[in-house]
Amino acid sequence: MTLAHQPPQIAHANGIDICYEVFGDAGAEPLLLIMGLGAQMIHWDDDFCRQLAARGFRVIRFDNRDIGKSSRMTGGKRLTALELLKLKFLKIPVAAPYRLIDMAKDTVGLMDVLGIKSAHLVGASMGGMIAQEVAISFPARVRSLTSIMSTTGNPKVPGPTREAAAVLMAPPPATKEEYFERFAKTWKILRVGSFPEDEALDRSRAERTYERGLNPAGVGRQLRAVLASGSRKERLSAVKAPTLVIHGTVDPLVRPEGGKDTAASIPGAKLVMVDGMGHALPIPMWPQIIDAIDKHAHGAAAKAA
């Protein structure tokens, strides 16, 4: 059985251009995949998307603003350690050209262009934060919410490990080769442990990411958006959408407590801790993750019918 697939296209939404791609049949349950900080839509692996589409979803992945083939924004200097210290200890907010609410409006704007009244939202890391923001601010647009390796913005949740934080704050690589080396090293740290299938794909994934275009300044602006948006913890108590929280037990970047805090903050949320998963979606863990999303989203759809 071959599933419908539309190659990447550009939608004009919320005043910007958003590059998106669709897997699966037009009549299937719409499922939007929202990627994390500095990650292009192709970090939702093609096969991952196809496997979800095979479960009866119309899967839509897209590049957030400031990444991949979507619009590049302007402003915002590279984040400094001093700004982070001021935020942490003096509660002085970080300046940002845009916030997560703007990225949530991008998501809703894309749904408008595609004629989707409501969809199942699946967000990873920063994408989970954006999905949470959509569920808070545009509740009618969300059929179900799946927040993966994400958090509430609650400052009491432990921060990243030193090694993972260093990945986040490292200056951008100067050459193509340096980028490929950095890519492999970064994912080795974030995946935590040995994942030969993924390691074998690091080079081709890095090449594809590089070819679609890098935007280091954009990644910096996205990081500012996360830090400037503050905590969603209180507001999450108003979320009505059926919610699934998936988190790795060894996540070094968004610690497991981030997932637990998300699940504790949303009424009726279900928490799935994936044993041995870091801050990545490694191939051996796809069956568990895809099963959980499938069951959750189709279950929500059946209840709503």
Side-chain angles (χ1 to χ4, degrees):
M1 157 179 135
T2 55
L3 287 156
H5 174 235
Q6 296 172 20
Q9 300 170 67
I10 299 287
H12 191 68
N14 194 28
I16 63 167
D17 288 334
I18 297 174
C19 179
Y20 72 96
E21 187 173 4
V22 183
F23 299 80
D25 301 314
E29 287 280 328
L31 184 123
L32 251 74
L33 297 175
I34 313 174
M35 227 328 128
L37 178 75
Q40 299 182 14
M41 67 177 185
I42 56 173
H43 277 82
W44 295 109
D45 196 279
D46 298 12
D47 282 335
F48 185 89
C49 295
R50 282 192 280 264
Q51 286 179 35
L52 274 171
R55 303 288 185 102
F57 294 106
R58 179 190 181 198
V59 177
I60 298 142
R61 66 179 180 183
F62 64 97
D63 285 324
N64 285 312
R65 59 168 66 199
D66 253 339
I67 204 79
K69 301 275 187 194
S70 289
S71 286
R72 298 186 169 201
M73 315 310 282
T74 55
K77 293 185 183 67
R78 213 179 141 66
L79 195 71
T80 65
L82 182 63
E83 285 176 285
L84 289 175
L85 290 170
K86 282 179 171 173
L87 175 69
K88 190 174 163 77
F89 296 109
L90 304 174
K91 306 288 177 271
I92 297 172
V94 166
Y98 55 83
R99 292 171 187 238
L100 292 174
I101 183 65
D102 300 297
M103 300 178 87
K105 287 174 181 170
D106 295 345
T107 306
V108 171
L110 176 61
M111 288 168 66
D112 290 341
V113 171
L114 296 175
I116 297 170
K117 283 198 172 70
S118 64
H120 302 283
L121 298 189
V122 177
S125 198
M126 178 186 75
M129 302 174 195
I130 296 167
Q132 290 170 26
E133 191 59 67
V134 177
I136 292 164
S137 302
F138 306 96
R141 310 303 297 263
V142 186
R143 295 186 190 186
S144 75
L145 168 65
T146 302
S147 181
I148 305 176
M149 52 184 163
S150 193
T151 185
T152 57
N154 174 5
K156 293 192 175 74
V157 168
T161 63
R162 186 166 288 177
E163 202 179 17
V167 163
L168 209 59
M169 299 301 287
T175 65
K176 189 173 173 177
E177 270 312 312
E178 196 187 318
Y179 173 75
F180 291 158
E181 278 170 33
R182 173 83 60 82
F183 187 97
K185 185 184 161 195
T186 296
W187 286 104
K188 196 154 181 60
I189 290 166
L190 295 181
R191 279 194 294 257
V192 186
S194 171
F195 293 92
E197 280 176 277
D198 290 275
E199 286 159 29
L201 291 172
D202 276 341
R203 180 77 187 199
S204 60
R205 284 173 174 172
E207 280 171 357
R208 193 174 172 198
T209 305
Y210 191 88
E211 275 159 22
R212 294 183 84 244
L214 305 181
N215 184 16
V219 180
R221 283 187 287 271
Q222 288 185 351
L223 182 55
R224 284 183 176 278
V226 170
L227 295 170
S229 295
S231 175
R232 290 168 298 287
K233 187 169 174 64
E234 303 301 322
R235 293 159 63 229
L236 284 167
S237 64
V239 169
K240 298 277 188 288
T243 300
L244 170 68
V245 177
I246 299 174
H247 216 103
T249 57
V250 293
D251 192 326
L253 191 64
V254 180
R255 302 294 267 280
E257 290 85 351
K260 289 170 184 169
D261 195 49
T262 305
S265 304
I266 300 173
K270 180 172 185 271
L271 177 65
V272 173
M273 297 301 293
V274 180
D275 200 38
M277 182 170 105
H279 198 76
L281 299 168
I283 295 164
M285 289 162 186
W286 286 3
Q288 188 183 351
I289 294 163
I290 289 168
D291 276 348
I293 294 170
D294 175 18
K295 200 172 143 193
H296 175 64
H298 280 307
K303 269 198 188 124

